[in-house]
Structures are given as C-alpha cells and as structure tokens.
Amino acid sequence: MIKPTIKSSDKILAVLLLLSVLMVGQIMNENINSIRLAALSGSAKPKVDVDKVKAKLRQAGLTPYEAKYWKIIDARPQKD
Amino acid sequence: MKTNRFLSIVFLAIFCTGALYYHFRQSQSNDINLENKALTDIFTGPEKVHPKLGSPPRYDIYQTRPDNPEVLAAVAFNTYDITPRIKGYAGPVKLLVAISTDGTIKDVRVLKHSETPSYVFTLDEFMAQFKGKNIADSFQLGKDIDGITRATMTSEAVARSVDKGAKAIGRQILELDVGGPSGDRPKTLSYIHIIVPLMLFIVAVGGVLGRNTFLRGLALLTGFVYLGLIKSTMVSVVQLVNIGMLKFPDFVTNPLWYCLVVMTLLSSVILGMVYCGSICPFAGVQEVLFHLGRKLKWEELKFSHKVAGQARYVKFGILFVVLAASFIIGNSSAANVEVFLILFAAHASQAGWAFVVFILTLSVFHFRFWCKFLCPIGAFNGLLADKSIYKIQFGPECGGCGVCDKVCPVGAIQMVDDKPLIDYPECTLCNKCVEKCPKEILFLTRNRQQGLTKHD
C-alpha cells in the first residue's frame, strides 16, 4: 500500500474540503427551498383510510377506481 | 493576529448589517403576501376571499352563485394573530388555518417558522392530521395528534395554536358550540435543565484549570449523552442567527437554550474554547472515532502545517455565507448546515445523511476534521477565544524544543524562530502542551499581550 506523503495528502485535503463545501451548499439549498415552498407546498395532504372509503363505495353499489395503477400505465380512467 | 482581527471585523459587519437588514425588511413587510398565496392555493374554486378584517382578524371566504347572494363558506386566519405568545423551539410558528362554516378544518398551511428544517421536513405529514378534524375535537399532542419525533416543542406549538385559534374563531365568528381549547400543560420551569448544563460547564472548566483528563472526558461524555442523545440541543449558528433576529424561545419551557448560549459565550470570552474542547457532543464522537482508527492501526491522514493552516479559513467562509443567507431570506433555518444537528436530530435528507457519513469517516483518519476545517460555530467561538481574558502562554525561558508543537492534537502550535506560536481560535484547551512542556513554562494565565500569536 502506498503511504500518502504530506504533499499528496494536501491535495487530498483540497478535494475533501471541496466535497464538504459542495455538500454544505446542497444542504443549505434544501433548507432554503423548504422555507420558500412552505406556504405553497400543498402541505396538508389528507390521510385517507383507503379501505374505509372503498367499503363505503361498495356499499353504495359503486366500484372504486385504483388511481395509482392508472398513473403507472400512464393512462386516465374513463369518464362515466 | 491581524488575520483574526480582520475575520472578526468581517463577522461583525455581516452580523450587524444582516440583522439590521432583517429587521428593516420585517418592519416593511407583513404576512399578508404569504397568507394570500396560501389562500389562493387552498381555495381554487369560484370562492371569493374578502380582505383580512375584524376582531379576531380573519379572511371571510364566500361562495359565489350567479343567482344567490354570497354565502359564507369558510373562514381563514393566521394563528399568530390570535395566539402570538405560543412559540416553537425558535420563535412563533405562523400557520394559516381554513375552517368551513360547520367547523371542519379545511386546511392548515405553514406561513413562517424558524424551526430546525431537518425536523420540519416531516411537517406535511404532521399537518395532514388536522385536515378534516372538527374544531370542537380535542387536539392534545400524543393523544389526538401524533407529534414529530424529537421536535416536541414545534409539534406542541402547532397543535396548541391551531386548537386555540380555531376554537376562538369557531366561538366568536362562526358561533359554534366548540367548548374551550384542550387543556394546556401547566408551564413549570425545569430546574434540571439549568442545573445539568451548569454542572457540565463546571466540570469542563475544572478539567481545563486542573489539567484533568478525566474531568475533560467526563464532560465530553455527559455532553454527548445529555446534549446530544437526550436533548438534541447544541450550540450552533442557528442560535447565533436567532439572536440577531431577536427570536428567543420561552425561558420557562426552554431554559437549556439560555444556559447553553450564555455559558458558552462567557466561557469563550474568559477562557477560550471550553465548549468546543470539552463539551460539544460531536467533538466527543470525533475523538472516539479517531482513537478507534489508531487502535485499528489505520493510516492517519496528515496535512502540512501551511496548507492545514490555510484550509482552516474554510469554516469562516461557511460561517459568513450561512449568516448572510439566513438574514437575506429572513429565516435561521438556512443556517442549519451543521453536521452535529443532523446527526443528533436524526432527521435529514439524503444529502444530509451522506454528509454525516462523510464527516464521520474522515474523523477516523484525521483528528477533529469537522472542527478544524468546517465547523462555523467553532469559527465564531474561535474569534471570541482569540480575545479571551485567560490564555495558554509560554514564559521567556522557552528553549524552543518544539515538544508542544508535536503533542498538540489540533495543530494549534507552530514553532517559528524557536518560539511556539499559538493559534488561539484553534486551541481546544486540552492542556497536552502544558503537561508535556519539559521546562514547565507553558501555563494558562491572564492575557499578557506580549506573547506571540500566530498571524503576527
């Protein structure tokens, strides 16, 4: 194994510091974005009890759409 | 010395200008723009939003029908207008709450906050719990609402302000029978959070003054367990920015914040880097990892004095950039880049976790890599330590043997013309130089000013 000399390790330090600064920048960017988008992030998403809703729909004689599968196959459910 | 003076002036200029800019902008603007943005986002239909008015201040939202007169459909309000005294970890959390006329919470949006972003990344999920609830319901944290892990103060502030604000609007404006807000927990000053940090600093200072390695180790261990694991509270740039923004938490609910800030500032001004050297939980983690690396006989990464000395200015750069960015965007959360906050908060994005792993790995190969080159609050403490009343200094009998230079684990001592030059902003007061000096002429004493320091 090659032992790093002081000179070569100085180059390593420069690379490590560059990487660190880039990561700090990325984290700061994420923080700033989280603040900027706070009011418009569509923050409150309802927690829906899917099974409960499906049961109610079936009780009412309807068939629930599985929206997520439409998204996967990049299509839209047909309108009645 | 000249460089440190220059850095101090740059720091003061950025801090003072930034704080003034922030307060000037605050006085010029209010939350109306944010409220309007949130309202536009919530009410996307043909509803008509009337301007904010009344007491308590609120927005009335009317349903518009072509043939009928306008019918009140919902009411929205900024929680800060009704419950300004409720604070999170770092000041008020301002929320816009929209309520239907039947008392159902239609939506809750965050307008402004200064909480730790790594905690608040999960705020969306937390907010979703309020949607669809009736304002007459109970909003007790832990019972009716699940809090955000390790962010109890933020969660409680949100739950209490939604609860109190919504019930006040429900009673006074919508004339609903909603009862009183869920009982507040009685506020009592927790003396333990004053006594423990005080003891911690006493032990740390005892270790420095008595050159006692055991006490230093004990302080580091207690700092790790109490500040890191139990309280997840550390001295950081976020606190510095909050001081500039005059955002202070409630003393009764968070005395630890005050104790840490006051004692760190005092100890830095009197003795130097006591907090960084003997208390910081992340410093302890780094030291343990470094010694583990030596036990495993892994090659240590050593850098030349000259390059390492220059690389230390990176942390000042980070300090200045995060300060400026925080004051410009008006939120201390931008300053939340410190690796120890991410680690001990245990909430982070992928980039955050990658950074933690990166720094911990480097700590195995180089002693206190984060502290030496990157820590922005360490840079600030260093500027205070440079002007501390007591300093490690050497007597005129120094023969220039260079032992102190060799034993200093952070490389804060450099031999120039057979005399040790001490870089005080880097000295962690570990006392290794004092212990090993063969002539016993290095000692902690009142600053005599005649001692040479680095950058002279």
Side-chain angles (χ1 to χ4, degrees), chain B residues 29 49 51 120 138 153 221 229 237 261 351 442:
Chain B
S29 70
V49 179
V120 183
S138 168
M153 290 179 80
L221 179 67
L229 299 182
V237 186
V261 170
L442 267 165

Side-chain angles (χ1 to χ4, degrees), chain A residues 9-10 20 30-31 43-45, chain B residues 107 109 128 302 304 336 349:
Chain A
S9 64
D10 284 346
S20 305
E30 284 177 357
N31 291 343
S43 51
K45 296 178 189 86
Chain B
D107 218 328
R109 295 291 169 99
K302 285 183 179 167
S304 67
N336 199 303
S349 64

Side-chain angles (χ1 to χ4, degrees), chain B residues 36-109:
Chain B
N36 285 333
K37 275 183 190 170
L39 282 168
T40 319
D41 206 42
I42 296 169
F43 298 100
T44 50
E47 296 97 340
K48 189 176 170 190
V49 179
H50 281 215
K52 190 169 166 181
L53 48 81
S55 176
R58 70 201 181 269
Y59 293 93
D60 290 339
I61 295 103
Y62 288 89
Q63 220 160 33
T64 48
R65 291 176 189 158
D67 48 345
N68 284 341
E70 290 177 342
V71 181
L72 184 70
V75 176
F77 65 95
N78 182 339
T79 50
Y80 187 71
D81 290 333
I82 301 172
T83 57
R85 292 171 70 92
I86 297 179
K87 290 177 179 176
Y89 178 72
V93 182
K94 296 181 178 179
L95 308 161
L96 185 110
V97 183
I99 311 168
S100 307
T101 43
D102 64 351
T104 308
I105 294 180
K106 199 171 158 57
D107 218 328
V108 180
R109 295 291 169 99

